[in-house]
Amino acid sequence: MDHFELRDGVLHAEDVPLPRIAEDVGTPVYVYSRATLERHARVFREALDAIPDKLIAFAVKANPNLAVLKVLSREGYGADVVSGGEMRRALAAGMAPRKIVFSGVGKTRRELSDALDSGIGQFNLESEEEGTELSALAADKGLRARCALRVNPDVDAGTHDKISTGKADNKFGVPIRDAAGIFGRLAQLPGLEMRGVAVHIGSQLGDLAPLEAAFGKLGALVQDLRAEGQTITHVDLGGGLGVPYVRGERLPEPAEYGAMVARATKDWGVTLIFEPGRVIAGNAGVLLTRVVRVKRGINDPFVIVDAAMNDLARPALYGAYHDFVAVEPDGERTRSNIVGPICETGDTFAMGRECDRLAAGDLAVFRTAGAYGATMASSYNSRGFVAEVLVDRDRYAVVADRIEAGAIMEAERVPEWLA
Ligand code: LLP
């Protein structure tokens, strides 16, 4: 459930009519709802009520906006980060270092070193090579890095290939058959406290079965490691729970996920770590856009909006579906092609989509844009970076300024020898 609803024929974010935001801030603009973020954070946490020891670490990549992180920090969430930049954001939002987990296959020496200095809660090591490097760094500083080994369980998550991470030939984690050996060797190195294992098989999962299969393999690994005398106190189960993009679409509810987790992990006796991203932020945001003009097409008209693939990349990258609705629908429906102004055909949000009738100047939104939206924006076609707004009941604030194309140009230089 979210807080974007029609009231007297006008789409609102909580108590704020979207035309007011479009008027004040301009379009395109991402609009997030604080109440929705909080609701999702609570629903997810309550779904895990049966798990006594846990850390919920929001996957910052889904929505790294500082104000969004602040909302989640106040809900007691920690952070799953994958770069020095994300770590800085989590800390700036007030998340305790202990609640920060650092994932990612390519953490640089600098990032590892900074994370050690910040005293983060856990490094999810993605290779033996990374563990060896971290050991040397930590030993040098006289520190011990708390670590989990990320394993690749070779499970097909049944999601889009580009966001699937748990198949044997994906770059993530170490092959599960090698995991015990690698863990044993890393556990002997100075500077490392090898305390657990981690898994994340993919994103936008529509079925819990592959997750349960992966957790089953992880449980067996925990047993094997303990049998070899290792101490396992933490298991990170990653994120991945999908959200409905198409209205009426049925996806596993957080409660079903929680019940499955409780079942799969009941005798593990560890602290469980969760890294939800999309399920928290996805439906807490929309991308508000204005129709530039409507152009006749061979079959259907082209509704050209002022948002483009540089603002919302998911349709161009993954062929993703985002519901598209008018802010002030007149009740008429029509088939249209929804496109942005960028000069490539990839800048298409939908072809032949049955949707609200729109005319030049009208406002509309792409729904379910709170996760992997603004964070994946670029300035392609010199369009600048999209603005972001957070609504809280009847007030709102700009939580990320629009970065105009001119400001980006100011960071560029023509060398003297070209002048
Ligand atoms: N943990 C790890 C280690 C991850 O790699 C990810 C996402 C998550 C947690 C959070 O997954 P979630 O709960 O959000 O599914 N840009 C793509 C999604 C990429 C996801 C990458 N990893 C999209 O727009 O669909």
Side-chain angles (χ1 to χ4, degrees), residues 59 61-62 80 82 103-104 124 126 150 162-163 165 172 199-200 202-205 238-242 245 275-279 314 317-318 371-373 376:
K61 63 174 82 65
D80 162 52
V82 294
S103 307
N124 285 353
E126 303 242 9
R150 176 164 175 188
K162 287 187 188 165
I163 56 175
T165 51
F172 298 98
V199 76
H200 172 77
S203 196
Q204 184 57 14
L205 306 183
L241 202 54
Y245 281 89
E275 303 173 350
R278 192 186 318 259
V279 73
R314 304 192 68 258
L317 261 183
Y318 318 117
Y372 307 110
M376 290 171 69

Side-chain angles (χ1 to χ4, degrees), residues 26 111 116 159 161 187 259 343 372 401:
E111 286 174 326
L116 279 169
T159 185
D161 266 352
C343 290
Y372 307 110
D401 290 341

Side-chain angles (χ1 to χ4, degrees), residues 3-180:
H3 291 78
F4 297 94
E5 286 171 347
L6 280 175
R7 287 192 196 165
D8 298 326
V10 180
L11 193 61
H12 282 59
E14 303 189 21
D15 299 332
V16 178
L18 289 179
R20 197 198 310 159
I21 294 175
E23 208 50 51
D24 295 355
V25 185
T27 53
V29 56
Y30 279 91
V31 181
Y32 310 127
S33 150
R34 176 182 180 177
T36 311
L37 283 167
E38 288 174 346
R39 185 186 141 77
H40 291 172
R42 285 174 197 154
V43 166
F44 191 82
R45 189 176 50 230
E46 283 163 19
L48 298 170
D49 267 351
I51 312 290
D53 297 312
K54 58 179 173 284
L55 166 66
I56 309 181
F58 176 64
V60 171
K61 63 174 82 65
N63 190 324
N65 182 278
L66 275 181
V68 168
L69 296 184
K70 189 76 191 176
V71 169
L72 296 174
S73 162
R74 290 168 66 130
E75 285 294 319
Y77 275 50
D80 162 52
V81 303
V82 294
S83 68
E86 286 191 353
M87 184 183 78
R88 275 208 298 282
R89 284 172 176 276
L91 293 169
M95 281 156 173
R98 279 285 184 150
K99 289 188 178 177
I100 298 178
V101 175
F102 200 159
S103 307
V105 293
K107 306 178 195 80
T108 63
R109 182 179 295 271
R110 172 76 189 277
E111 286 174 326
L112 291 170
S113 174
D114 288 351
L116 279 169
D117 294 341
S118 302
I120 64 151
Q122 179 170 298
F123 293 83
N124 285 353
L125 302 177
E126 303 242 9
S127 62
E128 186 165 3
E129 294 83 349
E130 183 192 342
T132 309
E133 194 169 343
L134 180 61
S135 156
L137 273 171
D140 235 28
K141 294 178 191 276
L143 296 171
R144 280 191 92 203
R146 290 169 291 273
C147 297
L149 181 63
R150 176 164 175 188
V151 300
N152 182 321
D154 194 17
V155 166
D156 186 349
T159 185
H160 193 285
D161 266 352
K162 287 187 188 165
I163 56 175
S164 175
T165 51
K167 284 190 274 187
D169 62 353
N170 293 149
K171 66 180 173 179
F172 298 98
V174 302
I176 192 154
R177 59 163 199 281
D178 303 337

Side-chain angles (χ1 to χ4, degrees), residues 176-206:
I176 192 154
R177 59 163 199 281
D178 303 337
I182 294 173
F183 193 103
R185 289 194 291 279
L186 291 177
Q188 284 174 1
L189 297 183
L192 300 186
E193 178 195 331
M194 293 301 298
R195 67 177 195 180
V197 289
V199 76
H200 172 77
I201 62 168
S203 196
Q204 184 57 14
L205 306 183

Side-chain angles (χ1 to χ4, degrees), residues 376-397:
M376 290 171 69
S378 76
S379 66
Y380 186 38
N381 273 212
S382 295
R383 284 171 44 84
F385 279 97
V386 61
E388 296 165 82
V389 157
L390 180 68
V391 172
D392 176 26
R393 288 165 301 191
D394 61 353
R395 62 183 172 181
Y396 72 86

